[in-house]
């Protein structure tokens, strides 16, 4: 039987370990390759080539509590580091922990509409443009993306390691 994972809960922490009590939602970053096309004069069709990765970002929504916002230093252009912890339950009833470690620059802060409906959900959404991302599942590193240090690791294997060594980095 194939295991099915069902999302359960999540929490968000600042770089100093403070839990953000007002977390309403979290969207992990998408990992997307930048694919180019290579074609010589004699080729009938171009071949895809790996040109690196698209920029990453994550989004989260927090309550509008000014103390919560101040914990992040929510200032567009400032660098912040956060950790999101997510739990999933599999079809056998076992609990799995996903840990997202992220660092980047707050790109946008978007206040919610302040209308007459859904007052309990009014908060602020933030987009964090990432310069570092690591996903660990059940204490095993799945992804680590660190462009500054030439790391694009999948399941603990840096696919850029040979080039990094060749460049003496």
């Amino acid at each position: 039987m194939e295991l099915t994972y069902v999302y359960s809960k999540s929490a968000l922490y600042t770089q100093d370990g403070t839990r953000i009590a007002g977390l309403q939602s979290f969207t992990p970053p998408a990992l997307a390759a930048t694919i180019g096309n290579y074609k010589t004069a004699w080729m009938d069709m171009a071949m895809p080539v790996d040109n690196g990765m698209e920029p990453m970002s994550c989004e989260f929504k927090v309550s509008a509590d000014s103390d919560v916002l101040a914990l992040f230093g929510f200032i567009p252009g400032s660098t912040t580091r956060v950790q999101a912890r997510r739990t999933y339950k599999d079809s056998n009833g076992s609990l799995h922990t996903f840990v997202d470690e992220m660092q980047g620059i707050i790109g946008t802060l978007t206040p919610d509409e302040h209308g007459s409906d859904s007052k309990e959900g009014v908060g602020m959404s933030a987009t964090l443009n990432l310069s570092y991302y690591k996903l660990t599942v059940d204490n095993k590193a799945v992804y680590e993306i660190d462009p500054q240090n030439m790391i694009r690791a999948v399941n603990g294997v840096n696919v850029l390691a040979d080039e990094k060594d060749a460049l003496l980095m």
Side-chain angles (χ1 to χ4, degrees):
M1 179 173 123
E2 187 175 319
L3 289 179
T4 302
Y5 285 65
V6 177
Y7 168 73
S8 182
K9 310 240 183 317
S10 61
L12 187 66
Y13 295 83
T14 62
Q15 58 198 9
D16 66 0
T18 302
R19 184 175 60 87
I20 303 305
L23 179 68
Q24 296 179 5
S25 67
F26 167 69
T27 304
L31 302 180
T34 301
I35 304 298
N37 292 303
Y38 174 76
K39 182 180 177 188
T40 64
W42 61 267
M43 293 172 74
D44 187 42
M45 179 184 97
M47 297 183 335
V49 293
D50 182 348
N51 280 339
M53 293 184 65
E54 294 287 332
M56 296 178 297
S57 65
C58 72
E59 295 182 2
F60 47 89
K61 182 177 173 183
V62 295
S63 65
D65 182 339
S66 60
D67 291 335
V68 169
L69 299 176
L71 287 172
F72 278 108
F74 271 177
I75 302 166
S78 70
T79 298
T80 192
R81 190 168 182 99
V82 297
Q83 182 184 86
R85 300 183 66 85
R86 301 178 278 145
T87 57
Y88 288 78
K89 293 180 182 173
D90 69 26
S91 49
N92 289 335
S94 297
L95 187 67
H96 300 275
T97 304
F98 286 51
V99 178
D100 301 272
E101 298 174 59
M102 299 155 290
Q103 181 171 320
I105 297 173
I106 300 283
T108 58
L109 294 170
T110 308
D112 287 337
E113 175 186 5
H114 290 64
S116 60
D117 296 329
S118 301
K119 293 178 183 174
E120 69 282 357
V122 173
M124 181 162 308
S125 297
T127 300
L128 182 61
N129 298 290
L130 303 180
S131 57
Y132 177 83
Y133 176 62
K134 183 176 183 180
L135 171 64
T136 305
V137 177
D138 295 333
N139 296 315
K140 180 184 175 215
V142 176
Y143 299 123
E144 183 175 17
I145 311 297
D146 186 352
Q148 185 172 354
N149 293 304
M150 207 168 175
I151 296 171
R152 186 188 340 164
V154 179
N155 291 324
V157 177
N158 183 7
V159 299
L160 304 176
D162 290 343
E163 289 178 288
K164 182 178 180 176
D165 290 346
L167 296 172
L168 302 175
M169 296 179 72

